[in-house]
Amino acid sequence: MTHPILIVGAGQAGVQAAEALRAGGYEGPLILLGDEPYGPYHRPPLSKAWLAGEMDAAQLVMRAPEMLARKAIELRTNVKVTAIDRAAKTVALSDGSTLPYSGLVLATGSTPRTLPLPGGNAQGVLALRSRDDASAMAERMAVCSERQLPLVVIGGGFIGLEVAATARKKGLTVTVLEAAPRLLGRVLAPMLSDWYAELHRGHGVQLVLGAQIDEIVTDHANQATGVRLKDGTLYPAGLVVVGIGVNAHDELARAAGLECERGIVVDACGRTSDPRIVAAGDCTARRLSDGSLLRLESVQNATEQGKSAAAALLGQERPFTATPWFWSDQYDKKLQMAGLSMGAEHWAVRGDMASGSFSVYHYKGDQLIAADSINASRDHLQVRKLLDAGVSPTPQQASDAGFDLNSLLAK
């Protein structure tokens, strides 16, 4: 009897790997193991449409169980893999049983970082990762709305700002506390950080930059009632949302002796240090040719790594090398990012920032390395083509809205 290929994690990367295995000709048993009570669902709407109550459970579904069954993919929900025995090629499950495998895909995702502060574990201090997290947040927002209690968001990253925007749409009073001197400082150019600060302030969000948090203040029932800074300033809160980033969920792999560093270390094809185990999605850190590690947290990365990991188990080479891209929706503004902007030295702006539709091009020397587009999807798609082709417009060409950047590709 052929042992199954097991996929640990029923999110974007896990589903993609399962479907790619079937599409690649694998005909053996295939089991998708999810630790939540739900089948695969979309995560990006959790901080936006789902949190706002604009989406129902059916719309959140990524793949219905019957759709997976038609592809002979067995879905098991509410089951947690507790250990991997690489020598025996088995995994232990939370119900005490074990499953053998012929190949193993780890798509375990990531977990939100927690606040190592007094009151960090209080009631009403929530992070957002899962459907249940978002539902609990929505319920608490409803209480805040009813009692006219403010919301405090700790962290001015994408999740924190998306939650802040959703809360403002629902009429809540919102304060965002960011430790850095600007919003999204690791990923955006300074002028775009400033633009986002003005966007949120224009929608009534109070922004506190350089915020040094001392504690989450609680009442006698351990319910969060506010956030106190080290300078003594107190921001009252009926809900505290913590959005300070995530850690790769690599504990299972680490305990099994796989190479891990800021995540499960994989190559461009998703292979781990064990030839029968591959990994994909937020749990991974890709080893680049120069020896450095790249961690990407995006739907595109989960999708493409899932395909690459499936190919690797089938003995095929399908490296994921495409230009990374990301997006974020806040209010009526869609940010689309292409490339990796770390190390950018100067920037060029295409379009009018005041109009709310423009792009910021990141340069390192003469080389275009990334671009961020606000309500400018055409620019975004164009930049992805330029980056994939290794073509760099000059900053003067990029900033000239009348210059046809596609003409550079024709050459």
Side-chain angles (χ1 to χ4, degrees):
M1 177 182 171
T2 303
H3 289 323
I5 290 180
L6 302 181
I7 300 173
V8 185
Q12 186 80 39
V15 168
Q16 194 63 64
E19 293 183 335
L21 282 163
R22 283 289 180 243
Y26 174 71
E27 297 178 350
L30 192 53
I31 303 176
L32 186 61
L33 302 166
D35 60 3
E36 294 184 64
Y38 317 103
Y41 61 86
H42 296 288
R43 291 185 188 270
L46 294 179
S47 58
K48 300 174 280 286
W50 177 261
L51 187 60
E54 299 168 353
M55 174 182 277
D56 61 29
Q59 293 171 294
L60 201 63
V61 172
M62 183 195 305
R63 299 288 189 277
E66 54 270 22
M67 184 183 295
L68 294 172
R70 283 198 294 271
K71 297 180 180 180
I73 299 169
E74 181 185 346
L75 171 66
R76 297 191 191 179
T77 57
N78 247 346
V79 59
K80 185 176 177 63
V81 175
T82 57
I84 301 167
D85 186 332
R86 290 166 53 197
K89 292 188 172 57
T90 61
V91 300
L93 305 181
S94 50
D95 63 5
S97 64
T98 60
L99 281 175
Y101 65 82
S102 61
L104 186 63
V105 181
L106 299 179
T108 48
S110 57
T111 52
R113 293 191 183 116
T114 55
L115 275 175
L117 291 172
N121 295 319
Q123 298 294 314
V125 178
L126 300 176
L128 178 56
R129 189 64 188 169
S130 69
R131 174 177 159 175
D132 285 348
D133 292 338
S135 295
M137 202 172 282
E139 288 172 13
R140 191 62 202 170
M141 277 188 182
V143 172
C144 289
S145 182
E146 181 184 329
R147 299 181 186 174
Q148 295 191 315
L149 298 172
L151 165 69
V152 172
V153 176
I154 298 176
F158 286 123
I159 290 293
L161 294 179
E162 288 172 3
V163 169
T166 301
R168 283 302 298 143
K169 285 171 65 177
K170 294 170 78 72
L172 274 68
T173 300
V174 179
T175 299
V176 173
L177 305 175
E178 167 57 49
R182 60 187 179 96
L183 298 178
L184 296 160
R186 290 188 303 114
V187 291
L188 296 186
M191 76 277 280
L192 196 47
S193 289
D194 294 343
W195 186 88
Y196 263 104
E198 290 310 307
L199 175 70
H200 280 272
R201 289 188 180 113
H203 281 86
V205 174
Q206 180 181 10
L207 294 180
V208 182
L209 303 176
Q212 300 300 311
I213 298 168
D214 190 50
E215 65 172 334
I216 309 295
V217 180
T218 60
D219 62 15
H220 63 279
N222 198 35
Q223 170 69 46
T225 60
V227 181
R228 193 189 313 278
L229 302 188
K230 290 189 183 297
D231 66 7
T233 308
L234 176 66
Y235 294 94
L239 167 62
V240 177
V241 174
V242 179
I244 55 173
V246 297
N247 292 318
H249 196 0
D250 63 0
E251 292 86 350
L252 195 62
R254 196 177 291 274
L258 295 175
E259 183 186 359
C260 294
E261 185 181 346
R262 293 172 47 219
I264 305 169
V265 176
V266 297
D267 65 9
C269 294
R271 289 179 288 239
T272 71
S273 53
D274 184 316
R276 298 312 304 160
I277 303 177
V278 294
D282 286 9
C283 64
T284 65
R286 193 192 331 162
R287 183 76 71 187
L288 302 180
S289 56
D290 64 1
S292 65
L293 289 169
L294 176 64
R295 265 190 51 70
L296 298 174
E297 299 158 16
S298 71
V299 170
Q300 178 218 19
N301 183 60
T303 299
E304 295 303 323
Q305 274 195 324
K307 293 176 184 176
S308 294
L313 283 183
L314 296 174
Q316 302 162 5
E317 290 281 319
R318 187 197 178 279
F320 167 41
T321 56
T323 296
W325 53 264
F326 318 83
W327 82 89
S328 175
D329 293 313
Q330 297 168 45
Y331 308 108
D332 59 345
K333 306 299 182 189
K334 177 178 281 292
L335 166 66
Q336 293 173 286
M337 311 170 72
L340 299 171
S341 61
M342 293 89 76
E345 298 164 344
H346 55 104
W347 300 271
V349 178
R350 188 177 184 88
D352 179 11
M353 294 183 73
S355 74
S357 176
F358 62 93
S359 295
V360 177
Y361 292 69
H362 301 253
Y363 284 86
K364 187 171 186 178
D366 297 329
Q367 187 71 30
L368 175 69
I369 59 172
D372 306 327
S373 301
I374 301 286
N375 285 9
S377 294
R378 185 179 173 189
D379 285 0
H380 171 71
L381 294 173
Q382 190 176 57
V383 165
R384 280 166 55 180
K385 291 177 184 176
L386 291 168
L387 291 170
D388 279 340
V391 173
S392 283
T394 67
Q396 292 75 23
Q397 290 169 334
S399 59
D400 180 0
F403 181 82
D404 180 11
L405 294 175
N406 281 328
S407 67
L408 301 174
L409 291 167
K411 297 174 183 176

